[in-house]
Amino acid sequence: MSADTQQAEQVPSFCALCVSRCGAIASVEDGRFTALKPDPSHPTGQALCIKGKVAPELVYHPDRLLYPMKRTRPKGDADPGWQRISWDEALDTVAKKLTALSDRHGPETVVFNTASPSTSALSDSMAWVRRLRKAFGSPNQSVSMELCGWGRYLANIYSFGAGLPADCMPDLENAGCILFWGYNPTVSRIAHATATVAAQKSGARLIVIDPRFAGLARRADHWLRVRPGSDGALALGLAHVMIDRGWYDESFVRDWTNGPLLIRSDSGRFLRGQDLDPSGSPDSYLAWDETAGRAVAYTPDLGSYAADNAELALFGSFEVETAQGPVTCRPAFQLTAELCGRYDPQEVERLTGVEVDKVVETANMLWESRPVAYMAWSGLEQQSNATQIARAIGLVYALTGDFDAKGGNVLFPAALSANIQGDEMLSGEQRAKTLGLADRPLGPSRFDHVTSADTYRAILDHQPYAVRGLVSFGSNLLVAHADGERGREALRALEFHVHVDLFMNPSAETADIVLPATSPFESEGLKIGFETSETANSLIQLRKKLVEPRGEARSDVQIVFDLACRLGFGSAFWDGDIDAAYRHQLAPSGVSLESLRENPAGVRVPLQTRHKKYTERTENVARGFATPSRKVEFYSEVFLEQGYPPLPDYEEPLVGPHSRPDLAARYPLILTCAKDSLYCESQHRGLPSLRRRAPDPQVDLHPAAAAARAIEAGDWVLIETPNGRVRARARFDEALDPDVVCGQHGWWQACPEIDAPGFAPFGPDSANFNLVIGHDHIDPVSGSVPLRAYVCEIKRLEAERE
């Protein structure tokens, strides 16, 4: 170790570049950030990915935005005519424009847009952006939920009353079996990758379901190479084997799911007390007591059945005498089993490509190696059937009985903190105006999220009303989302657009005002809990500002508070005093801001995990689940009422070889995509240390598929879909199905230091993968876009030009 290195200040920190939030030690020398390395004493610090290790390159990159700028030429011009302005002019302009739009057209006509906090440092400021948006009065915020979060957070709220698996985190440390489905933590959350390796050393089994043999799939006991988009059929097939062979927790299903509740054959609705007697309760359900041979009432408010020790039927068909006459009814679990029965292992192999034996062996491992800890990621969410995929896997998980059990998926306790998102500032009248709510009432809009497609429609088609303004933090819609051409048209049509970022990306280039943001290493960041375990959640850490901001860059939090004060919301933002806001947020925890500054490694608060909290009783009433029945809901009447299948039935990808045989001749290959371990979505391709390792956009294909098209490894090829074409370099992957190819999104940025070119976001030389995926075939519940399951053809670029 050199003397210079020895003299560098070593600062406890954490890397905020992605959801892993890895604990780290930063080296600072003479006021310059020089290195970031893992901090094994931190609960997420066992390793640090290459993105974190080269963080100094991000901070000191020559292309960083350093000053506020305004456009001086019309949108669409090749040269926007950017002109440097002061912060005062920038903030005054933004406040004046947004206020004018709100006064003339209503605050709902301004959409707030952020990058996903899973793949950016926006976790520092996300809650504050939401607070600003609600203070402004807009119900519309796009956070990529339809692409990054729906399946793992919100879809299973309808089944479990909680986000599964991401709100109920996998207890990897105590798991007997780990199930990663569409999730590669080596790329997405390295803290989970290191914890999984440790768990395997302690005897845990690992199942990985992924079209690619990548990351921890190489360490798996079972790797299931599922056809992209067919995951729902595989889940139902696994459930069928488990139910058929009795490999499920019968007591959990009977006591804690709505499996015993009777469904009317004539209406598909639950049988209610009022059906038997007009004076009965419309809120009570009925189940069949096999011992007494009659229907017994279940009342959600009491969380109990009318008959003690009833032997509740899970299977069968029963004729119940109602006020209108006899009605045939079956338990919800019977209907669930019948649905799953349509997906026996042979049918699963036909639909998914997963062999019969692997289906059975995997189902057996899920049962025999319990407790099961489960995690999913965007591989399942970027599908045209994303909602029912998530619910079908939730069904499998419910069969294990491991929800909130030690070693399963656990609702870990968290340090107390004040809710600072400003929910009280947005009226119900404004919430009702959320984009997409009328079309997809159970989708992201119900949970305070809007999709990019709905945003574009409101801008261009004025449906359901005209959106005129956009406030964007760190997002790159035109590269990170589908239908980029329509997106560009929409962003150019805005009356006003302000964009906050580190770099001038293709989306920022359409803005009227661009504001420079700091990297997370140039600003403080408060993290209350690190989510992955009880130990991780007990840590509160105020990430120290390592170095002074470059140029005039400000943190996202500072920009939010500055804008709030300019807009007249200062009283709701502690008159711009961020320290006062942090003290308010921390107050319930008992941890002071001063103690966090004195202890940059963080302060731990005592937490105690209680398992199976749904069984806890208050005044002899069990807590249960936050669903209409207070049970885990296999069968959803909420879905039925909105015209969706109440059970998570499988639907083929809407643009696939089975659903669109008319496209098969021209587009015979299945197109999916995956993250590159070196980059965060569309970020960081300008960093030399990363770009040297992956200089060009690549598309993976099987050698046999390449040979059939006269493609050699390293050839430039065209990826062509019904929506367009983009280019990439061919890379061979013998583990892929020969009918599947896997691309990468996010390519646009140049890296002049190593003469690596940029790629036009649009046009014939574009490498913008998401250009070739449209918004025309989306999940009917969530609006999720099938970035992971489409159709395509691959052609050698030179052959095309010949």
Side-chain angles (χ1 to χ4, degrees):
M1 181 180 290
S2 69
D4 289 344
T5 303
Q6 289 177 341
Q7 293 172 1
E9 180 186 6
Q10 304 298 303
V11 184
S13 186
F14 64 89
C15 176
L17 295 179
C18 83
V19 71
S20 198
R21 319 291 177 220
C22 296
I25 300 292
S27 298
V28 180
E29 184 177 358
D30 296 328
R32 188 175 179 86
F33 174 35
T34 57
L36 198 68
K37 60 184 179 182
D39 177 7
S41 69
H42 194 284
T44 60
Q46 297 305 305
L48 194 66
C49 78
I50 185 64
K51 297 185 288 292
K53 291 176 181 176
V54 305
E57 288 186 24
L58 178 68
V59 173
Y60 299 111
H61 195 283
D63 291 342
R64 281 276 304 277
L65 291 169
L66 302 179
Y67 308 99
M69 294 186 295
K70 70 177 180 181
R71 171 184 296 278
T72 61
R73 297 180 62 81
K75 294 183 182 182
D77 276 18
D79 177 12
W82 293 115
Q83 182 182 101
R84 178 179 169 180
I85 56 176
S86 68
W87 270 103
D88 281 339
E89 180 181 351
L91 293 169
D92 285 343
T93 300
V94 174
K96 179 181 177 181
K97 295 286 190 180
L98 295 181
T99 300
L101 289 176
S102 179
D103 289 346
R104 287 200 306 268
H105 307 289
E108 67 274 7
T109 64
V110 175
V111 170
F112 287 68
N113 171 237
T114 69
S116 168
S118 293
T119 56
S120 74
L122 262 294
S123 60
D124 282 356
S125 57
M126 182 62 71
W128 301 112
V129 175
R130 288 191 183 281
R131 186 178 185 86
L132 176 63
R133 188 253 301 171
K134 292 172 184 175
F136 184 79
S138 174
N140 297 317
Q141 185 165 341
S142 173
V143 192
S144 306
M145 179 57 67
E146 73 274 26
L147 302 180
C148 185
W150 174 255
R152 61 186 183 272
Y153 281 108
L154 299 181
N156 266 314
I157 282 179
Y158 294 105
S159 299
F160 291 83
L164 177 74
D167 276 342
C168 315
M169 293 294 284
D171 182 10
L172 300 174
E173 182 179 352
N174 298 298
C177 180
I178 298 168
L179 172 63
F180 286 154
W181 202 320
Y183 180 45
N184 180 5
T186 307
V187 172
S188 300
R189 196 175 198 147
I190 201 167
H192 270 175
T194 56
T196 299
V197 172
Q200 284 188 289
K201 291 178 180 178
S202 298
R205 313 301 293 271
L206 176 62
I207 299 166
V208 173
I209 301 176
D210 197 309
R212 303 179 309 129
F213 191 56
L216 291 180
R218 302 179 188 279
R219 298 178 56 93
D221 295 280
H222 289 304
W223 167 55
L224 278 61
R225 190 180 69 178
V226 63
R227 173 171 66 89
S230 67
D231 307 83
L234 177 57
L236 294 173
L238 290 170
H240 165 67
V241 174
M242 295 172 76
I243 294 170
D244 185 58
R245 304 197 180 193
W247 296 341
Y248 64 96
D249 188 332
E250 185 174 345
S251 62
F252 179 83
V253 170
R254 181 172 282 110
D255 296 339
W256 296 108
T257 81
N258 69 356
L261 303 185
L262 294 173
I263 308 293
R264 297 175 59 121
S265 297
D266 56 353
S267 65
R269 299 182 63 84
F270 285 107
L271 185 69
R272 309 275 184 168
Q274 199 172 56
D275 293 335
L276 274 61
D277 181 350
S279 64
S281 170
D283 299 319
S284 67
Y285 299 83
L286 280 299
W288 190 262
D289 183 348
E290 292 190 294
T291 300
R294 62 182 178 86
V296 294
Y298 164 72
T299 305
D301 286 347
L302 300 177
S304 61
Y305 289 88
D308 293 332
N309 303 315
E311 287 293 327
L312 302 178
L314 293 177
F315 300 97
S317 178
F318 309 99
E319 190 171 277
V320 180
E321 192 65 38
T322 74
Q324 292 76 37
V327 175
T328 301
C329 301
R330 289 176 291 171
F333 197 66
Q334 171 72 51
L335 297 180
T336 300
E338 289 176 8
L339 168 65
C340 295
R342 303 209 307 264
Y343 298 92
D344 62 29
Q346 291 74 22
E347 179 67 1
V348 170
E349 180 172 356
R350 184 186 73 82
L351 289 172
T352 72
V354 177
E355 297 89 340
V356 168
D357 290 348
K358 283 194 174 182
V359 175
V360 176
E361 290 166 3
T362 300
N364 181 255
M365 183 172 288
L366 288 171
W367 178 244
E368 296 292 343
S369 299
R370 291 171 299 148
V372 178
Y374 156 58
M375 193 65 188
W377 210 249
S378 50
L380 297 180
E381 295 167 334
Q382 297 170 5
Q383 307 281 358
S384 62
N385 51 5
T387 303
Q388 300 293 32
I389 287 175
R391 291 185 66 222
I393 300 173
L395 186 164
V396 173
Y397 194 73
L399 294 176
T400 70
D402 290 330
F403 183 88
D404 207 29
K406 185 176 181 179
N409 281 66
V410 178
L411 289 159
F412 287 115
L416 297 176
S417 62
N419 182 352
I420 46 87
Q421 298 200 44
D423 296 338
E424 71 283 357
M425 292 189 281
L426 192 66
S427 70
E429 180 183 3
Q430 284 301 103
R431 291 180 188 277
K433 298 176 184 178
T434 306
L435 297 175
L437 187 59
D439 296 322
R440 291 182 299 280
L442 302 185
S445 301
R446 181 175 183 176
F447 302 96
D448 216 22
H449 296 271
V450 302
T451 71
S452 57
D454 287 331
T455 301
Y456 298 162
R457 183 173 71 138
I459 296 170
L460 294 173
D461 303 333
H462 298 182
Q463 295 296 324
Y465 50 81
V467 160
R468 303 170 186 275
L470 183 68
V471 180
S472 186
F473 284 82
S475 178
N476 191 1
L477 285 169
L478 304 187
V479 177
H481 287 243
D483 215 354
E485 290 283 4
R486 182 167 169 82
R488 177 170 62 167
E489 183 184 356
L491 296 191
R492 285 178 174 177
L494 288 165
E495 292 183 29
F496 183 70
H497 174 192
V498 56
H499 188 100
V500 181
D501 221 317
L502 276 76
F503 296 92
M504 183 67 77
N505 65 38
S507 300
E509 288 174 350
T510 69
D512 299 283
I513 298 284
V514 173
L515 303 178
T518 60
S519 72
F521 310 100
E522 303 161 90
S523 58
E524 286 188 327
L526 178 61
K527 191 79 176 75
I528 302 177
F530 284 76
E531 298 153 1
T532 56
S533 64
E534 177 190 293
T535 301
N537 251 11
S538 73
L539 182 66
I540 302 176
Q541 188 173 8
L542 183 70
R543 193 187 61 248
K544 185 177 178 180
K545 179 173 70 175
L546 300 176
V547 292
E548 290 301 312
R550 290 188 58 205
E552 295 180 4
R554 297 183 182 182
S555 72
D556 293 311
V557 176
Q558 183 68 63
I559 294 170
V560 167
F561 276 63
D562 291 343
L563 276 175
C565 291
R566 284 301 209 286
L567 286 163
F569 310 134
S571 61
F573 283 81
W574 294 267
D575 295 320
D577 186 342
I578 296 174
D579 280 5
Y582 282 164
R583 288 190 180 96
H584 171 81
Q585 188 178 6
L586 286 165
S589 73
V591 176
S592 71
L593 188 62
E594 289 71 24
S595 67
L596 291 175
R597 289 206 170 109
E598 291 169 3
N599 298 278
V603 174
R604 296 184 184 275
V605 296
L607 297 176
Q608 182 64 51
T609 300
R610 308 188 322 273
H611 293 106
K612 298 189 176 181
K613 292 177 281 297
Y614 57 86
T615 67
E616 295 176 351
R617 306 185 78 83
T618 301
E619 297 181 355
N620 206 34
V621 176
R623 176 177 174 176
F625 296 82
T627 63
S629 64
R630 296 185 62 205
K631 306 284 189 181
V632 174
E633 299 208 337
F634 289 132
Y635 191 99
S636 174
E637 205 169 60
V638 173
F639 270 60
L640 181 70
E641 289 169 350
Q642 295 297 334
Y644 303 123
L647 288 168
D649 202 354
Y650 172 64
E651 183 179 24
E652 273 291 318
L654 295 180
V655 184
H658 293 212
S659 58
R660 293 296 304 276
D662 56 309
L663 297 176
R666 185 172 179 183
Y667 306 105
L669 299 174
I670 299 168
L671 179 63
T672 191
C673 65
K675 296 176 183 176
D676 191 302
S677 62
L678 299 173
Y679 305 120
C680 285
E681 306 300 347
S682 66
Q683 307 162 67
H684 305 154
R685 285 168 177 81
L687 305 186
S689 294
L690 302 182
R691 192 65 179 270
R692 287 189 185 98
R693 290 171 167 82
D696 299 309
Q698 298 194 341
V699 59
D700 294 333
L701 67 163
H702 192 277
R709 293 160 176 81
I711 294 171
E712 300 287 341
D715 280 352
W716 281 101
V717 298
L718 288 174
I719 306 171
E720 184 176 10
T721 77
N723 289 79
R725 53 173 60 181
V726 291
R727 62 181 184 140
R729 280 197 188 274
R731 181 173 63 182
F732 291 174
D733 182 351
E734 293 187 356
L736 272 180
D737 186 303
D739 292 331
V740 174
V741 298
C742 182
Q744 304 168 348
H745 86 280
W747 286 89
W748 62 275
Q749 193 174 17
C751 187
E753 294 89 336
I754 62 170
D755 295 323
F759 296 88
F762 306 97
D765 293 322
S766 176
N768 182 359
F769 176 91
N770 288 339
L771 278 182
V772 300
I773 310 293
H775 277 140
D776 47 344
H777 297 285
I778 59 175
D779 183 286
V781 180
S782 66
S784 298
V785 182
L787 302 172
R788 303 282 180 138
Y790 218 62
V791 294
C792 77
E793 178 58 293
I794 304 291
K795 298 178 182 178
R796 190 165 57 89
L797 185 60
E798 289 78 3
E800 176 74 8
R801 288 176 176 171
E802 290 169 3

